[in-house]
Amino acid sequence: MASGVSEGSQPIWHGPTTTGEIPRLTSFDDLYRDEYGPMVRLARGLVDVQEIAEEIVQDAFARVYERWSRLDHPGGYLRTAVVNGARSELRKREVRRRIGLRPFIPPQPEDQDYLLDALDQLSPRQKTVLVLKFYADMTEKEIAQAMGVRPGTVKSATSRGLAELRKVVDQ
C-alpha cells in the first residue's frame, strides 16, 4: 500500500524509536509533536529555505489530517507528502528560472549551512536521495517508494551523489 491509506483501521506509526518498540499513536497531535521537527529538517535539506520547508511540512500535515481515519501508516504518508511537496517546489523554481520570472532569493549568509550549499551542487535526484538517506534516515526501499523509482536507481544515485559531493567538498 504505497499511499498508506486503508479504510476503517486505527492509525499506527511504524517509525523508529529509541527502545525499538512500535508506539501507538493516539492522536494527530502525537504525530505532529513527534514529527514536526524531523520533517522540517527533511524539507529544509531538500529546498534549502527554512520558511518554505515549514510551509511544505504544514501542507503535508494538513493532508494527513484530512485522511487521518483512513491511514494505516500516517508517518509514512507524511514523509511522502513532504518529499512530494519539496519536489513540487523545486520544479516550480526551475520553471520560474527558465521563463525568467521572479528569481529565487538565496538564504542570508548567517542562515547558510555549508552542507546544504554542497548538496545544491548535485542533481535534484542525487540531492533527494542523499537527503532522504542521511537526513531522514530512510532505507533504500523506503526512498525508492517515496520517489517512485526502483531500489537500483536509489543505489546508483546514492553512489554518484556521494562521489560528486566529495568533489564539491574538496574544492
Side-chain angles (χ1 to χ4, degrees):
M1 194 175 324
S3 71
V5 177
S6 79
E7 293 298 326
S9 62
Q10 176 84 16
I12 299 174
W13 169 240
H14 294 285
T17 65
T18 55
T19 62
E21 64 188 37
I22 299 173
R24 188 161 187 80
L25 285 178
T26 57
S27 70
F28 176 80
D29 292 341
D30 291 340
L31 178 69
Y32 189 88
R33 183 176 33 260
D34 293 345
E35 294 300 319
Y36 181 79
M39 290 299 109
V40 170
R41 284 191 300 277
L42 169 62
R44 178 140 191 261
L46 295 170
V47 299
D48 68 25
V49 176
Q50 183 72 22
E51 293 79 13
I52 294 173
E54 290 171 358
E55 188 173 311
I56 289 168
V57 170
Q58 289 297 333
D59 290 345
F61 271 110
R63 283 197 245 18
V64 169
Y65 184 77
E66 291 169 354
R67 294 163 179 83
W68 182 256
S69 65
R70 298 174 301 179
L71 292 176
D72 282 336
H73 308 289
Y77 188 89
L78 174 66
R79 182 177 291 141
T80 299
V82 169
V83 170
N84 288 341
R87 292 170 76 188
S88 178
E89 171 63 25
L90 295 173
R91 280 192 301 272
K92 289 175 191 173
R93 286 183 191 177
E94 181 59 24
V95 169
R96 282 186 208 118
R97 186 194 63 76
R98 262 190 270 146
I99 63 173
L101 289 179
R102 180 179 53 115
F104 173 69
I105 300 170
Q108 300 301 315
E110 63 270 7
D111 295 336
Q112 289 192 341
D113 181 332
Y114 294 105
L115 179 57
L116 293 176
D117 291 344
L119 284 169
D120 283 340
Q121 304 300 310
L122 305 179
S123 73
R125 178 177 282 179
Q126 290 170 345
K127 178 180 179 179
T128 301
V129 166
L130 293 179
V131 168
L132 292 177
K133 183 170 182 71
F134 297 108
Y135 275 63
D137 203 26
M138 291 172 66
T139 66
E140 288 174 353
K141 183 179 177 184
E142 291 170 331
I143 295 168
Q145 288 175 336
M147 293 180 65
V149 299
R150 294 181 179 192
T153 303
V154 172
K155 287 181 184 181
S156 64
T158 301
S159 176
R160 291 180 181 139
L162 287 173
E164 188 63 29
L165 194 57
R166 283 185 198 100
K167 290 179 189 175
V168 170
V169 170
D170 289 341
Q171 291 178 354

